[in-house]
Amino acid sequence: MSAPSEQTPQTTLAIASRRRSFAHLAPLLRARWNWLIVLILAGIANAGAGLVGPWAIGRLVDELPARAGSDVVITCATAVAVAGVVMALGTWIGAWALARIAMPVVADLRTQVVDSALTLESQRIESTGTGDLVSRVADDSRKISEAAAQVLPLVVESLLIVIVSAVGLAAIDWRLGIVGLVALPMYWLTLRWYLPRSEPLYKEERAAFGRRAGRLLGGLTGARTLRAYRAESGELTRIDSASGQARDLSIGVFSFLTRAFSRNNRAEAVVLSLLLIAGFALVYFGETTAGAVTTAALVFHRLFNPIGALVGLFDQVQSAGASLTRMVGVIDEAASSPRRTTEISIDRPALVLEDLWFSYDEDPESSNHVLKGVSLRLNPGEIVAVVGTTGAGKSTLARIAAGLSAPTRGRAELARDTATSAGEVGRSVSLTELPDDKLRGHITMVAQEVHTFTGTLRENVALPVPEATDEQIITALDTIGAGWARALPHGLDTEVGDGGTRLSAVEDQSIALARLVLADPDFAILDEATAEAGSAGAHVLERSAQAALAGRGALVVAHRLSQAETADRVLVMDHGRVVEEGPHEELVAAGGRYAQLWSAWSA
């Protein structure tokens, strides 16, 4: 496992600007323009039907005092009933159209984020902490999904009601419409006060949620270690602190929203009072009717709920917008990462690591190096074991050898000995320049912690070669001695992983080694790949690993010196440097650091 000195500083993944985020959504929405038209037409019909009620009441106010007959009442009642049917249909059609727009867009966006996250350099993921990425893929995705399903329909409906009602108010009496315009600067001042302050608040809130998720995830995944060192209380204190920050920010956001509501209510009270005063004056001077003023007042009053909803929902819209900027940030960061396009055509290449220096600090001149001038040439078919105490830099060396991390200085290349011949692209190529699919064809890494995905045993083993036949999969399992696979209730069709047949640590690691055999790379990097199995299981996995490495070069980070004993060469590392190198027998005879380790191990 990585030593504390090899841990990376916590930063965050990129966050896109709001303009860039909505620009990313634009093509996804344009692809569904027909549903957008249906949504707008349904919304306009719905909002227009909502004006029928105020119109009917205003007409009754004018005509009933003049002893109008029952016809006017029947007419108004019929109009209101028809408007109700139109509103019901408009609401249903609008919700249907919005679902056909929003749900596929959210699904596309979520897929893009996951695809982008999988293409990011693992070193970058480690430098930000898994909590930040998990929060973006899970929490932010859920926030946008909820906004699309619950908030967006109300926002669209409220916005169209405001527009149509404003037009209706002006059509009743242009002078009353002018009075209603007084609300615009008051609402504008509210928004001008609200918007600049809200976006930083919501971004900070989402970031706090990400930190809280990271703490919770770290506490859950590291529960065994915490219990072993009786460090639960300290970790709970840190989790509580992260949760408290998120809670305090949420309370602050709610308080801020309450102040925005008070400004909104003040604008509504002022404008409605002005509307009634102006209406009374117009009726007094015979410029309009009481029914028209009643209709205008009801129409303006009808705006209270949608305008209040727009402001009330704006916090959720802003929060969803902040989530969108975080998700698009992942997509943009993956898109801006250097594309690996170099091709290679080298039969049985050598893996060359020359003068490797590595630091997790962003400053390239940092003196805090995990690796310090490490060099190694791994020839085809050669097995080199790396040993050393915790924190010596073994895992970092393995990651660079696998092409998962780039050295701060030095070279990590696939190279060949002979001169370039026709048809070959070059003499050597850097691991960081190879496309992932090409790189994995040459180098595959099996780490200490492996993952068995939910699915069948066939799908799990065939992960590196999805088109593999059952015969090839069975051969891979047999090669590493996974006889347990034949005893499973449904063979290769047995469901494993979460919710499936429970596998032991040895069986999980056997699947990882079978994947290695099936991938058939030139080199394998084993980073303490048998450490999770325990003493008894380790012997089984060591035999499986030896079978999996047959015929290919390998760099084995050994947690048991029995692995080093069978290697062609052994590298002894200490504080980022190679302090001894050579075959097992020579190093034992030399009486140096390795001999001391071997003596302690043998004892």
Side-chain angles (χ1 to χ4, degrees), residues 101-382:
I101 297 169
M103 293 302 105
V105 168
V106 172
D108 288 348
L109 182 64
R110 186 186 298 112
T111 300
Q112 290 177 15
V113 172
V114 173
D115 286 346
S116 299
L118 293 175
T119 63
L120 286 173
E121 295 287 343
S122 56
Q123 177 182 339
R124 175 61 175 148
I125 300 300
E126 288 185 357
S127 71
T128 62
T130 55
D132 184 45
L133 181 58
V134 169
S135 176
R136 296 185 189 220
V137 175
D139 290 347
D140 291 329
S141 176
R142 175 181 54 80
K143 193 74 177 178
I144 293 177
S145 296
E146 290 177 353
Q150 303 170 16
V151 179
L152 195 57
L154 294 176
V155 170
V156 172
E157 179 183 354
S158 299
L159 187 60
L160 289 173
I161 288 175
V162 169
I163 294 172
V164 173
S165 297
V167 173
L169 182 62
I172 294 168
D173 190 296
W174 64 271
R175 291 159 296 194
L176 296 176
I178 290 176
V179 173
L181 290 177
V182 175
L184 293 181
M186 300 186 73
Y187 287 134
W188 169 247
L189 289 174
T190 297
L191 288 176
R192 188 175 180 181
W193 173 85
Y194 177 83
L195 292 176
R197 294 169 174 81
S198 61
E199 184 171 357
L201 277 176
Y202 290 118
K203 281 188 176 180
E204 189 176 358
E205 182 187 36
R206 298 308 303 164
F209 289 164
R211 291 192 294 271
R212 180 181 64 186
R215 280 295 180 193
L216 288 170
L217 185 64
L220 291 173
T221 56
R224 184 181 302 175
T225 302
L226 292 172
R227 285 194 296 270
Y229 291 97
R230 296 185 178 180
E232 301 99 319
S233 60
E235 186 62 22
L236 284 173
T237 299
R238 287 187 286 270
I239 291 174
D240 184 64
S241 175
S243 299
Q245 291 176 2
R247 175 204 61 214
D248 293 342
L249 280 170
S250 294
I251 293 174
V253 168
F254 182 77
S255 175
F256 170 74
L257 183 62
T258 301
R259 294 199 298 273
F261 274 136
S262 67
R263 289 170 174 258
N264 232 31
N265 293 337
R266 183 173 58 204
E268 292 166 353
V270 169
V271 177
L272 185 57
S273 299
L274 290 176
L275 197 63
L276 292 174
I277 293 170
F280 178 83
L282 289 172
V283 172
Y284 181 79
F285 290 108
E287 294 295 324
T288 190
T289 65
V293 175
T294 301
T295 300
L298 290 174
V299 169
F300 184 76
H301 187 272
R302 181 173 179 262
L303 294 177
F304 287 7
N305 286 338
I307 290 177
L310 285 174
V311 175
L313 295 171
F314 214 83
D315 71 315
Q316 298 180 55
V317 173
Q318 286 282 79
S319 184
S323 294
L324 178 64
T325 61
R326 286 161 53 82
M327 294 180 74
V328 175
V330 175
I331 297 171
D332 285 350
E333 180 161 341
S336 63
S337 298
R339 299 293 93 185
R340 298 175 171 188
T341 57
T342 304
E343 296 291 337
I344 185 172
S345 177
I346 300 177
D347 292 332
R348 293 179 59 79
L351 177 58
V352 178
L353 310 176
E354 183 175 329
D355 193 25
L356 297 183
W357 292 73
F358 185 86
S359 172
Y360 285 111
D361 294 337
E362 294 184 3
D363 182 4
E365 302 301 323
S366 171
S367 60
N368 184 26
H369 284 95
V370 180
L371 295 182
K372 304 169 185 177
V374 176
S375 295
L376 167 68
R377 182 184 182 90
L378 186 60
N379 293 312
E382 182 183 23

